Amino acid sequence: MPKVKETVLEIDLEALAHNYRFLRSRLHSNTLFLAVVKAFAYGSDASKIARKLESLGVDYFAVAYVKEGVALREAGITKPILVLHPQAVNFDTLIERCLEPSIYSPKILREFLEAARRHKQKGYPIHIKFNTGLNRLGFGENDVAYIMEQIRGRNEVKVASIFSHLAASEDLNEKAYTKKQIACFDTIGKSFDATLGYPTYKHILNTSGIINFPEAQYDMVRSGIGLYGFGNDTAIDSQLRPIVSLKTVISQIHKIAPWETVGYNRAFTSPNQKVTATLPLGHADGIGRHYGNGKAYVNVHGKYAPIIGNVCMDMIMIDITGIPCQEGDEVLVFGAAPNAETFAAFAGTISYELLTGISQRVKRIFIND
Ligand SMILES: *Cc1c(COP(=O)(O)O)cnc(C)c1O
């Protein structure tokens, strides 16, 4: 691997392919695979990732907002794109770009029917979202009759799927709750199809759902974090490959005398002679202040170097005392070790937040394309 000369997020497309094949191997061969590529494909690069996944045979994509779906269309993605959390203000764009809305409330249903009529649509695919216990977005179990009243005889839309989302699919202590959600979704699905008069796809599983509740895969699954290399489970993590590595370089090395301080607010006071390295990476790049002051470490030539003092906007100082290294040497912030899950845990957060928070300022590079 060529050594980096600045801060980069290295994205391994072969690792992505590996993760996709691994997740697919846990499913029936006819189950459709929806790849969740919201938030720049979990902080990597939505266009590149989606194009690779489309070439690998992914059936569907999902993003959170209309703007993200437009970016995928601009990138040449032709597979259907589900928009998980659209707002009515963007419905004209959504229809123009053939994006498929999640319809999650009476208000958004009325607004979409109105937009579909304005655009003279026939059979426009929509996806009805049901709340089975996450209490975030979605119609209730008892809203089926209401939805039917609204869409009966309205040929501007066609229900492509109904779906729900699990609250704790990664947590086996919550197995009973997850099973209750699945049973509730099952009931909704049966009453929905019985009244609608044509079949719809059903889907409820995210990555951890695929791992822990494969019996509920229905017609399609929606996977995000697994594609990027994490399964919320150490046994599964060992079979997945993190697709991104955040790498940087040593800008400058300093010798710090006893009782000198390092960084803003003089937050670190050196108890003895130390050697520090300054890195071109800071909270504006997505490594927040909560990683500072000894909470997190980075990897310098296989040795762990803690972040000392406060994280600055564009710089981080690390303690490299006793680690042979020079200005210009490469530093791994997270990737193979520590991995994103471990690094995130230093600050009490999760891989999802760390990955999606790597700012657009960081250059993305691709390997194994
Ligand atoms: C983000 C999201 C997913 C993907 O979840 P992972 O845990 O990353 O697999 C699936 N479904 C919905 C509704 C989501 O919002």
Side-chain angles (χ1 to χ4, degrees):
M1 225 144 288
K3 291 286 165 210
V4 307
K5 298 190 164 65
E6 61 180 331
T7 302
V8 299
L9 191 70
E10 188 183 84
I11 303 168
D12 183 343
L13 295 170
E14 186 44 46
L16 176 71
H18 165 87
N19 297 336
Y20 170 66
R21 287 186 205 110
F22 173 80
L23 292 162
R24 265 249 65 116
S25 76
R26 318 273 296 196
L27 300 167
H28 304 310
S29 59
N30 57 350
T31 302
L32 299 178
F33 196 102
L34 176 152
V36 181
V37 293
K38 62 194 179 192
F40 304 104
Y42 289 41
S44 58
D45 182 301
S47 305
K48 193 91 180 180
I49 296 295
R51 281 199 295 255
K52 178 76 182 179
L53 289 169
E54 197 168 73
S55 79
L56 290 168
V58 153
D59 304 286
Y60 242 94
F61 289 100
V63 291
Y65 307 136
V66 169
K67 192 178 169 204
E68 298 176 301
V70 171
L72 292 186
R73 288 289 182 239
E74 301 277 312
I77 295 301
T78 58
K79 285 278 160 67
I81 301 171
L82 165 58
V83 181
L84 293 165
H85 197 179
Q87 301 296 335
V89 66
N90 300 313
F91 279 162
D92 293 336
T93 312
L94 176 140
I95 292 172
E96 284 155 16
R97 305 315 293 261
C98 294
L99 307 171
E100 303 181 4
S102 160
I103 299 296
Y104 51 82
S105 70
K107 178 170 178 286
I108 209 83
L109 175 58
R110 285 193 301 274
E111 289 167 330
F112 190 74
L113 285 169
E114 173 50 36
R117 181 167 49 224
R118 246 186 298 119
H119 285 261
K120 303 191 168 47
Q121 293 298 311
K122 283 233 166 2
Y124 198 94
I126 63 171
H127 303 260
I128 309 280
K129 174 82 179 280
F130 283 95
N131 169 27
T132 55
L134 180 58
N135 291 322
R136 190 173 75 169
L137 275 188
F139 287 98
E141 172 170 20
N142 300 323
D143 290 330
V144 174
Y146 169 84
I147 298 165
M148 291 302 159
E149 258 166 52
Q150 297 298 306
I151 64 176
R152 189 169 297 130
R154 301 285 298 263
N155 60 7
E156 9 345 3
V157 299
K158 179 164 194 276
V159 181
S161 84
I162 67 171
F163 72 112
S164 188
H165 196 37
L166 297 172
S169 59
E170 73 291 349
D171 186 352
L172 294 176
N173 295 319
E174 294 292 356
K175 207 168 182 167
Y177 192 83
T178 302
K179 291 207 176 259
K180 216 175 74 186
Q181 278 196 271
I182 293 168
C184 174
F185 182 61
D186 214 61
T187 309
I188 293 168
K190 291 201 168 85
S191 85
F192 200 92
D193 282 3
T195 22
L196 188 67
Y198 57 83
T200 56
Y201 289 148
K202 314 280 181 303
H203 45 112
I204 192 168
L205 300 184
N206 64 342
T207 300
S208 292
I210 296 170
I211 305 302
N212 296 324
F213 303 92
E215 67 280 6
Q217 62 192 268
Y218 294 97
D219 305 294
M220 183 156 83
V221 297
R222 306 183 304 270
S223 178
I225 198 75
L227 290 170
Y228 309 110
F230 296 94
N232 303 313
D233 176 297
T234 44
I236 296 298
D237 285 355
S238 71
Q239 301 188 65
L240 294 168
R241 289 170 51 193
I243 75 156
V244 303
S245 302
L246 182 63
K247 296 180 170 180
T248 188
V249 294
I250 295 177
S251 291
Q252 195 179 13
I253 290 177
H254 289 274
K255 288 205 166 62
I256 308 292
W259 310 114
E260 274 198 276
T261 63
V262 176
Y264 283 135
N265 319 102
R266 309 187 63 200
F268 178 79
T269 303
S270 188
N272 45 31
Q273 181 91 29
K274 282 208 179 292
V275 186
T276 67
T278 303
L279 311 177
L281 176 76
H283 62 71
D285 300 293
I287 303 300
R289 283 172 57 104
H290 38 293
Y291 290 98
N293 295 307
K295 292 262 171 54
Y297 60 74
V298 299
N299 181 336
V300 181
H301 300 319
K303 301 247 165 28
Y304 293 140
I307 298 176
I308 58 172
N310 284 322
V311 169
C312 313
M313 190 182 297
D314 320 304
M315 280 171 251
I316 277 174
M317 281 72 84
I318 57 173
D319 181 356
I320 53 163
T321 310
I323 303 176
C325 58
Q326 302 172 28
E327 292 174 357
D329 282 4
E330 183 173 305
V331 173
L332 177 66
V333 182
F334 62 79
N339 71 23
E341 192 60 42
T342 306
F343 195 86
F346 293 145
T349 185
I350 57 174
S351 58
Y352 295 78
E353 186 184 12
L354 174 64
L355 295 172
T356 57
I358 300 306
S359 80
Q360 293 300 302
R361 185 165 81 167
V362 177
K363 184 177 175 188
R364 271 66 176 165
I365 59 170
F366 301 92
I367 61 167
N368 301 324
D369 200 344

